[in-house]
Amino acid sequence: MKLLRTYLTLVTLLLSFLGYSQSYNTFYGGIVNQYSPDTIHKNLVEFEGLGVKEHGTTPLTNTLNWLIDKYSNYGYTDIKIDTFNYNSQDDYNLIVTKIGTVYPNTYLIVDGHYDTKSGTGTNDNGSGVAVILEIARLLQNVNTEYSIKFINFSGEEDGLIGSTWYVNNTVIPNSMDIKLVFNIDEVGGVNGLVNNTIVCERDQSIPTLSNAASYAFTDTLATCVGLYSNLLTEISYAYSSDYMPFQANENIITGLFEKNQTSHAHSPTDFLINMDTNYVYEVTQASIGASLYFAVASQSSVGINDLNSSNIRDIKIYPNPVKDELTINLGVLTTEKTMLKLINIIGETVIEKQVTNSIEKISLNHLPAGIYTLVMSSPTMQFTEKIIH
Ligand SMILES: [Zn+2]
């Protein structure tokens, strides 16, 4: 539901504020390359064929059922309808959950609305729906350290009603631990124009608590776009889409939005023919790469947390908080095939090494102050602890 945007051209720093840059990951690239233009195109055609998806209409319900079929066919089992009511009629968000291997209770939310206004909404937001479905299809079999919720919101065009409901009735009451909200809305491009740039959107609004983190994640998103697609990026501000209720709740948000803005949004001519499907394919590749990065996809499956094991309870980590050097005493645990990782608050691995001594010391001198997660893993155990530096 975006009608107007004043673009801000911003100088982006060469390095993010944490000072770490990201490089192409061949494992992620291999998954990105499995994206299927045919599948995306078919989904766009089907979405268009479902009609005008306004509140209280049969096409909206049919689209909900179409989405459920898609996720089921991709192998998802945790598929929930989140029902809300306004103007005396029910409406439905769709929530699909994939559980993370290391942080099962911390979520990457990948979202976009599926309701439309005045037309079939093939760009606004069939394009985002098609991108999210393709991410979900390709990530279903991939282990990710963080859990992912793929959310198709409704009621967006009527005033972010579905996402507001979800934040107020699920996120806040459950104190849901959200790593990042990645919103994809209107990424179809304009037929006849050169669509080679995507807008990466960050939180520049009040409340400002999460603005800096949103800036950092949005820089990371732009980096992923560069690594995994042929698109150029522009940084601008987030507004008027389903990330805003999360923004108001001080969650960290980022988003994608088309650079060439369609003139067909919210009109009966918002059809595939007025879009640029190649642009949607590029946005899909960028979004798959970013989702793998944000959810921390791992090539090998990691061991299950076994916090009841007395051996794991023997691990001693000190001092914590730590200023310079952290000591990790593995106690009786073997160091064989044991890896140590330190992950910063935006999910970047800043230290990674093979453990060789049962008392391991790592220097944190070069790292900025903040909260980190220490992950110790071997084929038989997985141990995580928050470190304050
Ligand atoms: Zn939209």
Side-chain angles (χ1 to χ4, degrees):
M1 56 180 288
K2 301 194 169 187
L3 295 172
L4 220 110
R5 174 191 290 274
T6 311
Y7 287 106
L8 295 180
T9 307
L10 293 151
V11 178
T12 51
L13 297 172
L14 189 60
L15 297 174
S16 76
F17 78 106
L18 287 168
Y20 293 94
S21 57
Q22 190 197 148
S23 56
Y24 183 82
N25 178 310
T26 51
F27 174 58
Y28 296 177
I31 296 165
V32 169
N33 288 337
Q34 291 170 40
Y35 90 98
S36 160
D38 288 350
T39 303
I40 299 164
H41 185 262
K42 183 167 176 282
N43 285 341
L44 287 167
V45 169
E46 289 176 4
F47 186 89
E48 186 159 293
L50 284 157
V52 182
K53 304 148 193 83
E54 294 184 342
H55 179 56
T57 64
T58 303
L60 186 76
T61 318
N62 289 345
T63 306
L64 175 76
N65 290 324
W66 173 79
L67 285 166
I68 293 168
D69 271 2
K70 293 284 173 190
Y71 288 111
S72 308
N73 288 335
Y74 297 160
Y76 289 92
T77 50
D78 188 343
I79 302 172
K80 292 202 169 65
I81 296 171
D82 174 36
T83 304
F84 55 100
N85 188 286
Y86 67 103
N87 291 344
S88 308
Q89 262 171 327
D90 280 347
D91 209 321
Y92 316 95
N93 298 323
L94 187 67
I95 324 285
V96 177
T97 306
K98 170 183 170 62
I99 296 296
T101 52
V102 180
Y103 312 103
N105 298 316
T106 304
Y107 297 93
L108 167 68
I109 291 181
V110 181
D111 77 286
H113 69 93
Y114 72 94
D115 63 310
T116 70
K117 185 176 175 179
S118 307
T120 63
T122 313
N123 188 342
D124 182 14
N125 183 33
S127 59
V129 167
V131 170
I132 293 166
L133 282 173
E134 191 64 355
I135 301 169
R137 187 177 75 82
L138 291 177
L139 265 64
Q140 198 276 332
N141 268 323
V142 178
N143 282 318
T144 56
E145 294 189 0
Y146 290 84
S147 289
I148 305 177
K149 282 189 185 286
F150 299 101
I151 306 186
N152 298 108
F153 286 118
S154 188
E156 196 267 358
E157 300 290 8
D158 296 322
L160 314 181
I161 292 171
S163 48
T164 301
W165 161 266
Y166 183 73
V167 169
N168 289 337
N169 292 277
T170 299
V171 174
I172 294 173
N174 297 316
S175 304
M176 191 190 284
D177 185 12
I178 297 174
K179 181 182 179 187
L180 178 69
V181 177
F182 176 24
N183 185 75
I184 305 169
D185 191 357
E186 201 181 304
V187 290
V190 178
N191 182 32
L193 296 184
V194 176
N195 302 287
N196 62 1
T197 304
I198 187 81
V199 178
C200 301
E201 304 171 310
R202 65 188 190 182
D203 177 5
Q204 297 185 206
S205 304
I206 294 166
T208 58
L209 185 72
S210 299
N211 289 19
S214 170
Y215 279 33
F217 271 106
T218 304
D219 284 350
T220 302
L221 174 62
T223 302
C224 288
V225 172
L227 291 173
Y228 300 105
S229 79
N230 295 306
L231 295 174
L232 304 172
T233 55
E234 181 173 293
I235 304 285
S236 187
Y237 57 91
Y239 75 109
S240 285
S241 189
D242 286 318
Y243 40 28
M244 293 316 281
F246 293 91
Q247 189 281 333
N249 189 44
E250 298 184 339
N251 296 121
I252 305 167
I253 64 163
T254 194
L256 292 177
F257 185 69
E258 62 191 5
K259 162 71 174 157
N260 292 327
Q261 243 180 290
T262 181
S263 57
H264 299 278
H266 308 164
S267 86
T269 54
D270 185 0
F271 290 136
L272 187 55
I273 196 172
N274 294 314
M275 294 163 48
D276 177 352
T277 44
N278 283 319
Y279 184 66
V280 183
Y281 303 155
E282 290 293 336
V283 174
T284 302
Q285 294 170 77
S287 302
I288 295 167
S291 299
L292 290 165
Y293 186 78
F294 290 141
V296 192
S298 46
Q299 193 154 8
S300 55
S301 60
V302 295
I304 303 301
N305 275 351
D306 185 6
L307 298 174
N308 296 321
S309 154
S310 57
N311 287 349
I312 286 181
R313 279 205 308 268
D314 276 351
I315 297 180
K316 291 190 174 50
I317 294 163
Y318 52 89
N320 191 11
V322 55
K323 191 164 176 290
D324 301 315
E325 190 179 65
L326 189 69
T327 300
I328 300 138
N329 186 336
L330 282 180
V332 298
L333 287 171
T334 173
T335 59
E336 199 186 341
K337 292 182 182 163
T338 299
M339 291 296 295
L340 174 163
K341 261 196 207 182
L342 197 66
I343 297 165
N344 69 19
I345 198 152
I346 65 166
E348 293 169 334
T349 300
V350 294
I351 293 177
E352 182 164 20
K353 64 180 289 193
Q354 172 99 41
V355 176
T356 48
N357 305 303
S358 62
I359 297 178
E360 193 75 35
K361 290 177 188 292
I362 54 172
S363 170
L364 277 60
N365 272 327
H366 63 296
L367 296 174
I371 297 171
Y372 294 81
T373 303
L374 176 75
V375 181
M376 307 284 294
S377 59
S378 76
T380 55
M381 68 97 181
Q382 178 84 38
F383 174 86
T384 64
E385 181 141 318
K386 285 257 184 288
I387 304 293
I388 298 163
H389 172 49

